[in-house]
Amino acid sequence: MRAKAIEDSQLDELNGADALIQLIINEGVEVLFGYPGGAVLPIYDALYGKEIKHVLARHEQGAIHAAEGYARVTGKPGVVIATSGPGATNLVTGLTDAMMDSLPLVVFTGQVASTVIGSDAFQEADVIGITTPITKHNYQVRDLKDLPRIVKEAFHIASTGRPGPVLIDIPKDICSQKIQLSTEVDIQLPGYQPNYNPNPLQIKKLLEAISRANKPILLAGAGVLHAKATELLLEFAQKYQIPVTNTLLGLGSFPAKHPLFLGMAGMHGTYTANMAIYESDLLINIGARFDDRLTGNLSHFAPNAKVAHIDIDAAEIGKNVSTHIPIVADAKEALAKLLEEEIPSVNIDQWHSKLTENKDNFPLWYKKDEEEMSPQRLIELVHQYTNGEAIITTDVGQHQMWTAQYYHFEKPHRWVTSGGLGTMGFGFPAAIGAQIALPEHPVVSIVGDGGFQMTFQELAVVKELNLPVKVVIVNNLALGMVRQWQQTFYDKRYSYSHIPVQPDFVKLAESYGIKGVRVSNEQEAEEIFSQHLMDSMPIVIDCRVKQEENVNPMIAPGKGSHEMIGVKP
């Protein structure tokens, strides 16, 4: 594979830092997220005066979560720069988060000079050793002539197959050496050849299984979104009238209001979705990895189903759930092949009737409180006053689950959350990245009062760039999900899960020059949301909600998907 640059005769000799910036520009990168420091001073000097946009985060964690938000809504690699030592180690959480949620990132870290690597030099850290388990691949540049190839490979690896983060560690002395960039860059990756096209025999087996199934169900994960296969998923489901459920990260891949949609599956999924999986005789997984928060007790997961699993990553197939029809392929390519064939239609009206009955008898529920605001109602109001059109970001915890349940996603790439790692502090900087990627689109960051305090310093970025990000704090003066588990499984021993001392979030926002308001009831929320959720200015809305409120229903730890608690009031 070769990438054309400009003619050799037009190229001057560049130092390593200037060459790096040119190589990044050649990859079509439009924005960098970063934070300068000693080991990357040459790189930042090379950036000076360049047209490429650079977003100065206020913490490296903020930079990498913003890059994740950018990657999630665009599908393009988010690009990060950080210095050596603590700058690089501050990226570890974001790298792990991106690795688990399959987000394409290319991360450049500075390193001490090659001559002192391994000597415990100032701000030295073994970044390659630290990040090997949490990146799709990583490099340390030891010879400047390898830099063009490494950069080209990094962007290729990050964005192909199953996406993920790639890190390039650059010693400071490499930046001052000289190189003339070539017009051609060779990529030699014989051990990395992702398989996009499905095996025709496996496609045939799946179609035969569909023709014999009485209780089929489609489980759509984030792989459908990464493959941009949502339209084909809808066409396939409608063609065979197969009910659809989503994983947490798959939300938006199938319209929430569609009659075939059963809601989210998993620990806090709907009763209908979880029971459909439990009772199914054919489970077709497209782009999901059967993680524990989806399956519950594996011995009770889809016990009567033949399992088909379509995934770009062969390592995921059969890893957690035994698979009868494995299909290693890109979700879009697999769905296209499935749609090319015709099979006899099967009457599954009884199955649909059963699922409709479950929808009617066991809907999501919550009790309205006349004195305190219900967090579930809060999410419904956000949906109402954004017309369901906003890009929504969250951290992890109760607010995340309530948003997944009550903000009904009709379109893809509107849902940005931390799934596998469950990272507090993710949502707000991710909203910044999403807003930078799509400046005309409304972006709302729904966060908890705990998680927001981990990365609220990025309010400075919102002010500096005048980003119209809306922050909705679901403030229950607690680490809500921790408190819920302590209530449910630890006999209400609330060990350090309440947060009685907090900043005044209104004054905090105002200290950054951003409007802040506080709402304590539904009427106040409606008034503020109607005025501000779709306007062109940033705002922080501190929403005081009922503390003793739980996410229902729930598959308790160690239980099967058919043993949900909190199904009815």
Side-chain angles (χ1 to χ4, degrees):
M1 176 179 313
R2 297 178 182 273
K4 285 286 183 182
I6 54 180
E7 296 299 325
D8 282 343
S9 60
Q10 298 175 321
L11 283 169
D12 295 324
E13 196 172 51
L14 303 174
N15 66 34
D18 286 321
L20 174 64
I21 299 305
Q22 185 60 54
L23 290 166
I24 291 172
I25 292 171
N26 290 350
E27 289 298 325
V29 175
E30 298 172 341
V31 59
L32 306 171
F33 301 90
Y35 201 94
V40 290
L41 280 174
I43 297 173
Y44 273 83
D45 188 58
L47 269 175
Y48 188 79
K50 296 293 192 300
E51 291 186 3
I52 189 170
K53 183 182 183 70
H54 177 278
V55 177
L56 177 64
R58 298 314 194 257
H59 189 287
E60 290 88 354
Q61 184 179 358
I64 196 165
H65 289 331
E68 287 184 275
Y70 178 93
R72 185 68 180 81
V73 299
T74 64
K76 298 186 291 188
V79 183
V80 181
I81 302 175
T83 194
S84 64
T89 58
N90 279 342
L91 299 175
V92 165
T93 297
L95 287 168
T96 313
D97 192 274
M99 185 69 174
M100 293 193 74
D101 286 354
S102 304
L103 295 175
L105 300 181
V106 177
V107 177
F108 297 93
T109 54
Q111 184 55 275
V112 300
S114 303
T115 53
V116 294
I117 289 177
S119 69
D120 294 330
F122 177 66
Q123 290 194 333
E124 179 186 5
D126 179 9
V127 176
I128 296 300
I130 291 168
T131 63
T132 294
I134 55 172
T135 53
K136 190 174 178 184
H137 196 58
N138 61 14
Y139 300 87
Q140 187 174 78
V141 182
R142 302 308 293 263
D143 191 322
L144 181 57
K145 72 175 186 294
D146 294 329
L147 182 65
R149 172 186 58 81
I150 287 173
V151 171
K152 177 60 63 176
E153 286 181 2
F155 279 91
H156 174 70
I157 292 170
S159 56
T160 56
R162 179 179 180 176
V166 178
L167 181 139
I168 302 175
D169 195 42
I170 306 176
K172 189 173 184 180
D173 56 309
I174 294 290
C175 293
S176 60
Q177 296 171 14
K178 297 290 185 177
I179 186 174
Q180 186 175 30
L181 294 178
S182 173
T183 57
E184 296 181 347
V185 179
D186 290 324
I187 291 181
Q188 302 293 340
L189 296 169
Y192 177 70
Q193 302 292 331
N195 181 64
Y196 285 83
N197 298 312
N199 184 310
L201 292 177
Q202 298 301 95
I203 292 293
K204 184 178 179 181
K205 285 181 182 179
L206 177 51
L207 288 169
E208 289 174 350
I210 292 171
S211 71
R212 294 193 295 268
N214 294 310
K215 299 178 179 180
I217 184 170
L218 280 163
L219 171 67
V224 174
L225 295 164
H226 293 313
K228 296 180 170 55
T230 56
E231 292 181 3
L232 291 183
L233 174 66
L234 177 61
E235 184 180 349
F236 180 68
Q238 291 182 149
K239 180 175 182 177
Y240 296 110
Q241 287 297 294
I242 303 176
V244 179
T245 183
N246 278 143
T247 63
L248 174 68
L249 290 179
L251 290 170
S253 64
F254 197 83
K257 294 179 182 177
H258 196 285
L260 288 173
F261 189 60
L262 307 180
M264 181 178 70
M267 177 173 280
H268 293 292
T270 66
Y271 177 86
T272 303
N274 284 328
M275 287 305 296
I277 291 175
Y278 181 73
E279 296 175 350
S280 67
D281 61 4
L282 176 62
L283 172 58
I284 305 169
N285 176 346
I286 307 179
R289 60 186 179 85
F290 284 133
D291 75 291
D292 60 297
R293 288 297 172 100
L294 169 74
T295 64
N297 189 322
L298 283 169
S299 64
H300 296 296
F301 183 74
N304 303 310
K306 176 174 283 190
V307 176
H309 191 172
I310 300 170
D311 205 295
I312 192 75
D313 185 358
E316 289 296 343
I317 297 178
K319 185 177 80 174
N320 295 329
V321 173
S322 296
T323 302
H324 305 91
I325 307 174
I327 301 177
V328 180
D330 175 77
K332 190 172 186 177
E333 296 296 328
L335 283 165
K337 291 298 182 184
L338 288 166
L339 284 164
E340 286 178 4
E341 306 294 332
E342 296 293 335
I343 59 172
S345 59
V346 177
N347 188 328
I348 54 174
D349 288 346
Q350 283 188 319
W351 180 230
H352 285 294
S353 296
K354 172 65 173 175
L355 297 177
T356 300
E357 183 182 334
N358 281 346
K359 281 185 182 181
D360 293 340
N361 292 336
F362 304 100
L364 293 171
W365 64 273
Y366 64 91
K367 292 181 179 179
K368 278 199 171 185
D369 193 304
E370 297 300 325
E371 297 181 0
E372 296 180 282
M373 185 157 54
S374 156
Q376 297 95 327
R377 179 58 182 156
L378 181 71
I379 304 304
E380 289 178 331
L381 290 174
V382 174
H383 183 275
Q384 176 182 334
Y385 286 102
T386 59
N387 300 313
E389 291 290 330
I391 291 170
I392 301 293
T393 75
T394 76
D395 286 344
V396 65
Q398 287 184 316
H399 72 277
Q400 177 192 41
M401 293 296 107
W402 286 318
T403 305
Q405 290 176 336
Y406 292 96
Y407 197 99
H408 305 293
F409 293 93
E410 289 291 308
K411 297 178 182 178
H413 312 298
R414 304 286 174 87
W415 172 232
V416 182
T417 194
S418 175
L421 192 63
T423 303
M424 292 180 70
F426 169 89
F428 176 47
I432 291 173
Q435 189 73 84
I436 288 169
L438 301 173
E440 303 303 318
H441 205 94
V443 177
V444 179
S445 185
I446 301 175
V447 294
D449 46 303
F452 185 56
Q453 292 185 67
M454 294 189 173
T455 49
F456 68 63
Q457 74 280 343
E458 304 306 325
L459 284 167
V461 179
V462 169
K463 177 61 178 178
E464 180 181 342
L465 301 181
N466 194 31
L467 300 173
V469 172
K470 313 300 188 288
V471 180
V472 175
I473 305 172
V474 184
N475 191 345
N476 54 13
L477 297 172
L479 303 175
M481 192 61 83
V482 176
R483 187 211 57 76
Q484 176 173 335
W485 279 54
Q486 288 174 339
Q487 175 186 338
T488 308
F489 305 116
Y490 293 89
D491 296 325
K492 297 185 178 180
R493 294 189 294 275
Y494 298 124
S495 181
Y496 304 103
S497 57
H498 290 162
I499 315 177
V501 177
Q502 292 186 341
D504 183 324
F505 291 114
V506 173
K507 291 181 178 178
L508 177 70
E510 291 172 347
S511 74
Y512 283 96
I514 295 170
K515 184 177 181 64
V517 295
R518 181 175 298 108
V519 300
S520 300
N521 57 55
E522 186 175 328
Q523 182 179 350
E524 292 175 351
E526 290 204 58
E527 181 180 347
I528 294 299
F529 289 178
S530 65
Q531 293 175 18
H532 296 292
L533 281 188
M534 297 295 279
D535 71 14
S536 60
M537 297 298 292
I539 189 171
V540 174
I541 309 171
D542 180 11
C543 303
R544 298 304 176 101
V545 300
K546 184 179 179 181
Q547 185 178 83
E548 296 289 321
E549 185 64 55
N550 292 340
V551 182
N552 286 306
M554 180 183 189
I555 301 173
K559 298 296 184 180
S561 56
H562 64 303
E563 300 174 296
M564 302 185 78
I565 59 176
V567 173
K568 283 195 169 186

